[in-house]
């Protein structure tokens, strides 16, 4: 056994040299890939995908060469043939990892969700900070970091809030039944038109929605330049503008009215009788 180990030392030494060379080659190949992709217009997640594929590919080839040098008679074909049923067991054991890996590749390639996008998915709302081959890092709007498996984002519905630079928002406004329809609609439109951050190519709109229990409900809709303005701030300014214009026109926003009925007659007494 000792003689066999001593006899195999040159092969083991050469295999270690191959592994070391593989480390150097992978390191500089990733740098070259990073330099080449940096000069292109590829997205950041695709650049990371290319770097990972280059690194993994070089390491796979290097480790196979090292195994061939260290073990006489070893070939990649014999390794594949020897796996047999073990490959099936490994596949089942690492099913989730492989699923997330493929989902990560498909997410990066399909160009629908990019780093920096604001998304909503499965109760999570936030900004995509990083996409790896297994998981996606989402920074919630409340500043917590959520690490989501790629398969969850690939198989379930994902709403990309920043897919377009313009988004529509709306609010329901109730006015008095005594108010004039046309005057109320005009006041609501004037309140929206004076707000900064609205898309100048699309005029705000106001529609009579329904006859409510205590008011006539008007649906106010507007388009926000969400790429440069916070929708919450714009919504606040729109509501302030609508309230200001309704007050100037003498149109009130009523409180809920409650009507009570009694099955039996209610006896009434004067204050003196009650005393």
């Amino acid at each position: 056994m000792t003689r066999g180990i001593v006899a195999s030392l040159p092969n083991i030494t050469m295999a270690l040299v191959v592994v070391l060379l593989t480390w150097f080659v992978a390191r500089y190949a990733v740098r070259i890939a990073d330099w080449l992709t940096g000069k292109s217009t590829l997205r950041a997640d695709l650049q990371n995908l290319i770097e990972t594929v280059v690194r993994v590919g070089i390491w796979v080839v290097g480790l196979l060469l090292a195994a061939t040098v260290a073990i006489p008679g070893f070939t990649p074909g014999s390794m594949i043939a020897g796996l047999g049923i073990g490959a099936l067991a490994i596949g089942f054991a690492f099913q989730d990892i492989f699923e997330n890996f493929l989902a990560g590749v498909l997410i990066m390639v399909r160009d629908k969700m990019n780093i920096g996008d604001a998304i909503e998915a499965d109760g999570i709302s936030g900004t995509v900070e990083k996409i790896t081959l297994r998981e996606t890092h989402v920074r919630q709007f409340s500043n917590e970091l959520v690490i989501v498996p790629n398969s969850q984002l690939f198989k379930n519905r994902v709403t990309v809030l920043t897919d377009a630079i313009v988004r529509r928002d709306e609010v329901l406004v109730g006015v008095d039944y005594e108010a004039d329809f046309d005057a109320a609609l005009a006041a609501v439109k004037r309140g929206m038109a004076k707000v900064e951050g609205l898309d100048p190519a699309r005029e705000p709109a106001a529609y009579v929605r329904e006859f409510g229990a205590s008011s006539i409900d008007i649906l106010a809709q507007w388009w926000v330049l969400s790429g440069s303005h916070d929708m919450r701030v714009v919504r606040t300014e729109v509501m302030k503008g609508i309230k200001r214009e309704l007050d100037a026109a003498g149109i009130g926003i009523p409180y809920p009215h409650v009507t009570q009925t009694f099955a039996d007659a209610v006896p009434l007494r004067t204050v003196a009788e009650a005393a």
Side-chain angles (χ1 to χ4, degrees):
M1 184 182 296
T2 303
R3 286 196 298 269
I5 293 174
V6 172
S8 63
L9 282 179
N11 291 343
I12 296 175
T13 302
M14 289 300 300
L16 293 176
V17 171
V18 171
V19 171
L20 184 62
L21 290 175
T22 301
W23 180 77
F24 276 109
V25 172
R27 182 178 180 182
Y28 286 101
V30 168
R31 289 185 179 181
I32 294 173
D34 184 42
W35 179 75
L36 292 175
T37 55
K39 291 183 172 295
S40 66
T41 58
L42 291 175
R43 307 188 317 273
D45 51 353
L46 282 180
Q47 294 179 13
N48 294 335
L49 174 61
I50 292 174
E51 294 171 10
T52 303
V53 170
V54 169
R55 182 185 294 108
V56 171
I58 291 175
W59 271 107
V60 168
V61 173
L63 292 176
L64 287 176
L65 288 176
T68 303
V69 172
I71 305 173
F74 174 84
T75 61
S78 63
M79 182 190 69
I80 295 174
L83 285 176
I85 245 177
L88 186 60
I90 292 174
F92 279 114
F94 292 93
Q95 180 180 1
D96 290 340
I97 295 177
F98 294 149
E99 182 181 21
N100 289 319
F101 175 83
L102 292 176
V105 173
L106 293 175
I107 287 174
M108 295 177 188
V109 170
R110 70 180 179 182
D111 191 20
K112 293 297 181 182
M113 182 184 70
N114 303 320
I115 296 175
D117 280 337
I119 66 169
E120 290 182 354
D122 199 18
I124 301 170
S125 299
T127 304
V128 178
E129 284 192 348
K130 185 178 181 181
I131 302 176
T132 68
L133 288 177
R134 186 183 181 277
E135 61 201 16
T136 297
H137 297 185
V138 179
R139 178 73 61 178
Q140 293 196 114
F141 297 133
S142 52
N143 207 35
E144 295 93 354
L145 179 65
V146 181
I147 299 176
V148 187
N150 288 331
S151 60
Q152 181 177 337
L153 294 177
F154 185 74
K155 294 189 294 186
N156 298 327
R157 185 180 69 178
V158 177
T159 302
V160 182
L161 303 177
T162 51
D163 180 65
I165 61 173
V166 179
R167 291 175 59 193
R168 195 187 72 180
D169 202 357
E170 61 187 28
V171 68
L172 201 62
V173 184
V175 300
D176 288 325
Y177 268 96
E178 293 79 10
D180 180 78
F181 269 24
D182 296 332
L185 291 172
V188 171
K189 289 181 180 179
R190 288 196 304 271
M192 294 185 288
K194 299 179 181 179
V195 176
E196 182 183 356
L198 270 61
D199 184 8
R202 296 175 175 155
E203 294 185 2
Y207 309 97
V208 178
R209 180 71 172 267
E210 62 183 359
F211 293 104
S214 306
S215 62
I216 299 173
D217 295 333
I218 297 176
L219 179 65
Q221 294 180 335
W222 63 93
W223 294 86
V224 184
L225 298 173
S226 57
S228 56
H229 292 77
D230 191 329
M231 292 191 63
R232 298 167 297 179
V233 175
V234 174
R235 183 184 181 89
T236 300
E237 294 301 321
V238 166
M239 295 181 70
K240 288 166 60 178
I242 291 175
K243 177 65 167 57
R244 188 165 46 245
E245 292 296 330
L246 289 176
D247 290 343
I251 301 173
I253 301 176
Y255 291 101
H257 297 168
V258 178
T259 302
Q260 294 183 346
T261 59
F262 300 91
D264 300 325
V266 179
L268 301 177
R269 291 185 296 173
T270 63
V271 176
E273 291 174 344

